[in-house]
Amino acid sequence: MKILVTGFDPFGGEPINPALEAVKALPDNILGAEVIKLEIPTVFGKSAEVVKSAILAEKPDVVLAIGQAGGRFSITPERIAINVDDARIPDNEGNQPIDVPIQADGAAAYFTQLPIKAMVKQIKEAGYPAALSNSAGVFVCNHIMYQVLYLIDKEFPNMKGGFIHVPFIASQVVNKPNQPYMSLTDITASLEKAIEAIVLFDDKEDLKTIEGTTH
Ligand code: PCA
């Protein structure tokens, strides 16, 4: 099994993106699966082109994209990506699409094929905070998750794809009072656990644990 794991470069004025640093620190092999690591730009459109080139070159079984979600308290595997870009801030090349569909012939939304509930359980059992997320937002992270799932729908039906958001690390919140953070070591270990679940559940249905929230 081959897993392509991507990490976004820093954006929004941050000097570091913990997603990218954690991806770089992952082992090259997890439970027998080969882990290919790829840095991608926080840029609408271009990020998807870089991922598509890597898919064609590497022919992975799974594409797992990782991004920073400042303000979140835990590692959050994403359930769904929606067909819209609605940027709060410009991306790293100054693009700021507002209410623009990502793919004219794409579905309104795509669900991940990854075992998100098993991933949450595997991370929590290792002692790290994790929770299922039902929105990857409307910035470049939702964009890349949508683009990967669109490619799976249209061109690579045997591949699986998904996304995990990670919190800030301590150095990013020094001047941001009351912002949650995790250590880079713990984020990396959590991603390793999530990938373990992907490998262990490759030919199994996802768990049916209760992950619903109040609303
Ligand atoms: N997080 C942003 C884009 C890049 C990243 O790491 C997001 O959540 O959309």
Side-chain angles (χ1 to χ4, degrees):
M1 186 175 185
K2 199 190 247 196
I3 306 183
L4 175 66
V5 188
T6 71
F8 280 108
D9 63 1
F11 69 100
E14 294 291 328
I16 191 171
N17 190 328
L20 177 60
E21 299 309 316
V23 167
K24 285 197 229 159
L26 282 172
D28 297 320
N29 190 297
I30 297 176
L31 296 184
E34 186 185 351
V35 176
I36 313 283
K37 305 158 196 177
L38 179 70
E39 174 173 344
I40 61 175
T42 301
V43 177
F44 291 102
K46 189 184 270 189
S47 52
E49 288 164 25
V50 174
V51 172
K52 186 170 182 187
S53 302
I55 291 171
L56 292 170
E58 298 287 351
K59 306 200 174 10
D61 302 292
V62 173
V63 178
L64 176 64
I66 315 293
Q68 162 195 302
R72 287 200 188 171
F73 283 82
S74 54
I75 305 289
T76 45
E78 299 290 350
R79 190 197 297 264
I80 194 162
I82 60 176
N83 191 6
V84 67
D85 290 333
D86 193 9
R88 173 181 61 90
I89 52 171
D91 70 14
N92 284 353
E93 289 191 357
N95 311 298
Q96 191 169 9
I98 311 279
D99 296 345
V100 179
I102 299 171
Q103 292 288 353
D105 67 341
Y110 290 112
F111 287 92
T112 183
Q113 299 85 11
L114 297 181
I116 40 182
K117 292 190 168 179
M119 291 156 75
V120 167
K121 183 161 186 264
Q122 191 85 355
I123 298 168
K124 285 168 111 174
E125 280 181 0
Y128 306 107
L132 185 58
S133 167
N134 292 302
S135 173
V138 278
F139 193 50
V140 187
C141 287
N142 172 75
H143 180 91
I144 201 66
M145 182 177 175
Y146 185 91
Q147 294 278 40
V148 167
L149 297 176
Y150 173 85
L151 277 176
I152 290 171
D153 186 38
K154 303 287 182 197
E155 288 183 54
F156 305 100
N158 297 324
M159 211 170 72
K160 295 179 187 176
F163 195 93
I164 301 177
H165 265 121
V166 304
F168 283 137
I169 57 171
S171 63
Q172 295 178 284
V173 301
V174 170
N175 290 314
K176 297 186 185 84
N178 302 317
Q179 282 288 327
Y181 63 92
M182 278 175 79
S183 76
L184 188 56
T185 318
D186 288 357
I187 292 174
T188 307
S190 302
L191 294 182
E192 188 172 347
K193 289 287 152 193
I195 294 171
E196 282 182 18
I198 293 171
V199 177
L200 293 169
F201 280 74
D202 186 33
D203 52 0
K204 293 193 188 75
E205 282 220 349
D206 194 7
L207 300 173
K208 289 272 183 277
T209 49
I210 297 171
E211 291 291 340
T213 47
T214 315
H215 305 290

